[in-house]
Amino acid sequence: MKLDFPRYTERLGTVSIHAVQRIYELDSGKSKGFQSSHQTVRKFDYDEISNIMHDLAIVIPIKNEKLKLLEGVLSGIPNECLVIIVSNSSRSPVDRFAMESEAVRQLSRFMDKRMIIVHQQDSGLAEVFKKTGYDSILDSEGNIRSGKAEGMIIGLLAAKMYHKDYVGFIDSDNYVPGAVNEYVKIFAAGFGMSTTPYCNVRVSWVFKPKVRNNALQFSKWGRVSEITNRNLNALLAAITGFETEVIKTGNAGEHALSMPLAECLHYTSGYSIETRELIDILEKFGGLMPSEYPQIVDKGVEIFQIETRNPHFHEDKGMAHLNEMLEASLATIFGSKICTPDLKKALQDQLKQMTKKRIDYSKKYHMLEPINAIHMPEFEKGVREKANTFLRIGLR
Ligand code: GDP
Ligand code: CO
C-alpha cells in the first residue's frame, strides 16, 4: 500500500489528530526499498502489512443482518487476522444466531480462518461480567445490554484474551468484500505509521453512493457525518481558538485502536461509540483535564484518518436510524466535560430541534467503564466455564 504521510496535524495536549491521508496504490508490490526523492509517501510492502495483521483482531458486530453479507465480509478479511463476531441477532422465533454460527463454521472449513463467534445475550457471559465486577455492561436485571458499543466491548475482551495488540471494527452489513479488505489494510498501515503505542485509526469513506433517479450518485458525505464533523471541529476551534476542518471521521463505523489505548477508554452505549471514542481521547489526553495515565501522556496519542479507494455500500436502514445516530453523536459532544458553554448551547438547540423535547442524555447514553478494570485470568476462566455461546473455530 502506498499512502500520504499526514499533511498537517492538529495538536491538542498530547493528542495528534492527523488530517485525512490519501491512498495512491492499494497494493504497491512486494519489494522493499521504495525510493522517493522527497518523502511524502509511505510505502508498505506485503511483509510489513502482514506482520501487523498477525497482531490484529477484527471485531464484527452483527444484529440480524443478511447471512450473505456476513459471508462477504468474512471473505474480505485477510487470513492473518483473528476474526471475532459478536452477535446480538434474535434467537426466536427463528434462531438467527444458530444460522450465523452454522454458516461461520462451514465457511471456516474452506477459509481456514481463526474465528470466534459469541452471542451478546449469553447469560453465562453476563454472569462472568458480574463476577469480575464489570457491572456497567449489565442492565438492572443482570443481562448484558443491547447495543453496538456493548458488542464491541465483548469483542475487545475476546481480542485481549488472545493477546492481540490491535483491534479493528468492521460492520457486518457491507456489500463489498474488496472494501472490507481495504479497511483491514488501512488499519495495518495506520498502526505501521504510528510513532506511539497509543493509536486510533479511522476510516474515511471516499464515496457513499446512493441511487437517485435510477442512477448511482457518488455522494461524499452523508448528512449525519457532515453535522457530526462540523460540531467536532467546532469543539476543537473553541478549545484552540483556531478554526479547523481536520476531523472528517466523527461517525466512522470502521475504526481501530491499539489495545493499550482501547483498554483505558470509557465508551458509551449504542451508536454513540464512534464519536465517544474521539471525545474520550481528547478528554483524557488533550491536556484540558488531569490524566490518570502519565505513561500515555508521555508517549502521546496519534489519530490517523485514512481515505479509502473503495466506495462504501451498506444496508440502508432508513431515516429514523440516521436520526438516532445523529442524536447520539451530538449528545456525546454535548455531554463532554471539555465542551465549552457556547457550543453546549448550540448543541442543545440542535438536539431540541430534532427531538422536540428535553432529554437527559447522561441517562440515555450509558457510560461503559474501561476494560482495564477487568481481571483477565478470572474473565478467561469464567468464559471457558460459563459462556456457552462462545465458539472458537481453529483456536484453542
Ligand atoms: P450504521 O452503518 O452505522 O448506520 O449502523 P448499522 O445499523 O449498520 O450498524 C452497524 C453494525 O453494528 C452492523 O453490523 C449491525 O449489524 C451491528 N449492530 C447493530 N446493533 C447491534 C447490537 O446491539 N449488537 C451487536 N453485536 N451488533 C449490532
Ligand atoms: Co451499516
Side-chain angles (χ1 to χ4, degrees):
M1 178 172 275
K2 216 178 264 164
L3 72 164
D4 277 337
F5 274 108
R7 294 194 168 231
Y8 79 96
T9 300
E10 294 280 354
R11 295 190 170 81
L12 213 77
T14 188
V15 182
S16 303
I17 309 173
H18 299 301
V20 169
Q21 292 161 252
R22 262 163 82 92
I23 293 172
Y24 295 98
E25 278 185 322
L26 284 172
D27 187 333
S28 53
K30 182 169 166 54
S31 61
K32 282 198 174 136
F34 168 69
Q35 295 290 329
S36 160
S37 50
H38 45 86
Q39 279 268 316
T40 56
V41 172
R42 172 72 157 91
K43 176 183 172 177
F44 286 92
D45 68 44
Y46 290 0
D47 291 340
E48 224 174 330
I49 295 272
S50 167
N51 286 340
I52 296 170
M53 290 191 309
H54 272 288
D55 301 323
L56 171 65
I58 299 295
V59 173
I60 306 174
I62 181 166
K63 186 176 176 184
N64 299 331
E65 304 289 355
K66 297 175 183 135
L67 277 178
K68 278 271 182 295
L69 293 189
L70 176 64
E71 178 175 344
V73 168
L74 292 177
S75 75
I77 298 176
N79 192 266
E80 288 94 329
C81 302
L82 169 65
V83 177
I84 301 166
I85 303 164
V86 185
S87 170
N88 198 20
S89 300
S90 45
R91 306 218 56 180
S92 69
V94 181
D95 190 349
R96 293 195 59 90
F97 177 67
M99 289 161 66
E100 288 161 4
S101 319
E102 252 336 287
V104 166
R105 210 192 283 277
Q106 186 186 21
L107 284 168
S108 73
R109 188 171 300 158
F110 297 93
M111 292 176 174
D112 196 18
K113 257 185 171 34
R114 287 160 308 134
M115 297 202 264
I116 290 170
I117 177 164
V118 56
H119 199 269
Q120 197 163 331
Q121 305 303 331
D122 185 321
S123 55
L125 185 59
E127 246 180 84
V128 179
F129 278 124
K130 179 130 202 72
K131 201 143 172 263
T132 49
Y134 192 72
D135 295 320
S136 58
I137 203 167
L138 303 172
D139 65 16
S140 53
E141 261 116 67
N143 300 316
I144 298 176
R145 291 166 180 271
S146 280
K148 184 183 175 189
E150 288 78 354
M152 286 169 47
I153 298 263
I154 296 170
L156 267 179
L157 284 162
K160 200 171 169 188
M161 279 172 65
Y162 283 87
H163 309 287
K164 293 293 163 182
D165 296 332
Y166 311 109
V167 187
F169 301 96
I170 295 185
D171 288 350
S172 56
D173 63 337
N174 197 307
Y175 276 94
V176 188
V180 171
N181 187 261
E182 185 185 8
Y183 301 150
V184 179
K185 289 176 179 160
I186 284 177
F187 296 158
F191 291 125
M193 285 183 125
S194 178
T195 56
T196 131
Y198 309 103
C199 177
N200 177 207
V201 185
R202 310 174 71 89
V203 170
S204 172
W205 300 319
V206 64
F207 294 116
K208 216 172 156 185
K210 301 200 168 61
V211 178
R212 280 204 194 99
N213 304 328
N214 282 332
L216 266 187
Q217 190 136 30
F218 285 81
S219 30
K220 188 100 186 138
W221 302 110
R223 182 180 59 100
V224 174
S225 294
E226 199 189 312
I227 301 176
T228 304
N229 292 336
R230 194 194 318 134
N231 283 286
L232 282 167
N233 285 316
L235 174 64
L236 288 189
I239 294 166
T240 64
F242 289 88
E243 281 193 1
T244 178
E245 292 191 344
V246 73
I247 296 178
K248 304 275 190 204
T249 57
N251 291 112
E254 274 66 42
H255 55 111
L257 289 159
S258 63
M259 189 59 89
L261 178 61
E263 64 183 5
C264 303
L265 298 182
H266 282 83
Y267 298 93
T268 45
S269 55
Y271 291 109
S272 59
I273 188 158
E274 278 86 19
T275 309
R276 177 69 217 174
E277 179 182 282
L278 197 74
I279 293 278
D280 206 70
I281 292 172
L282 294 177
E283 280 185 4
K284 288 196 168 72
F285 311 111
L288 296 153
M289 300 195 320
S291 178
E292 284 173 44
Y293 299 97
Q295 74 282 16
I296 303 186
V297 171
D298 184 43
K299 295 251 165 66
V301 177
E302 275 190 272
I303 300 175
F304 292 90
Q305 308 181 92
I306 302 175
E307 187 179 78
T308 60
R309 282 284 165 183
N310 282 285
H312 186 81
F313 286 95
H314 70 149
E315 276 283 278
D316 188 349
K317 306 228 163 99
M319 202 59 180
H321 171 68
L322 290 177
N323 284 336
E324 192 189 330
M325 296 237 337
L326 182 57
E327 185 185 1
S329 295
L330 295 184
T332 304
I333 309 171
F334 172 78
S336 169
K337 292 178 213 127
I338 57 171
C339 189
T340 56
D342 284 354
L343 184 58
K344 253 191 200 283
K345 173 84 183 49
L347 285 161
Q348 199 163 36
D349 292 346
Q350 290 178 67
L351 283 163
K352 228 166 135 188
Q353 214 170 25
M354 273 179 65
T355 60
K356 311 277 180 237
K357 52 186 171 231
R358 244 173 203 277
I359 295 168
D360 181 355
Y361 286 109
S362 64
K363 295 222 171 72
K364 183 158 182 181
Y365 304 106
H366 181 84
M367 189 69 81
L368 296 153
E369 295 296 314
I371 61 161
N372 61 9
I374 299 176
H375 184 249
M376 281 312 284
E378 193 185 348
F379 181 81
E380 266 190 73
K381 187 165 169 280
V383 167
R384 284 188 190 275
E385 287 169 3
K386 299 206 168 110
N388 293 330
T389 69
F390 196 101
L391 306 178
R392 296 171 179 78
I393 299 165
L395 286 162
R396 280 194 303 130

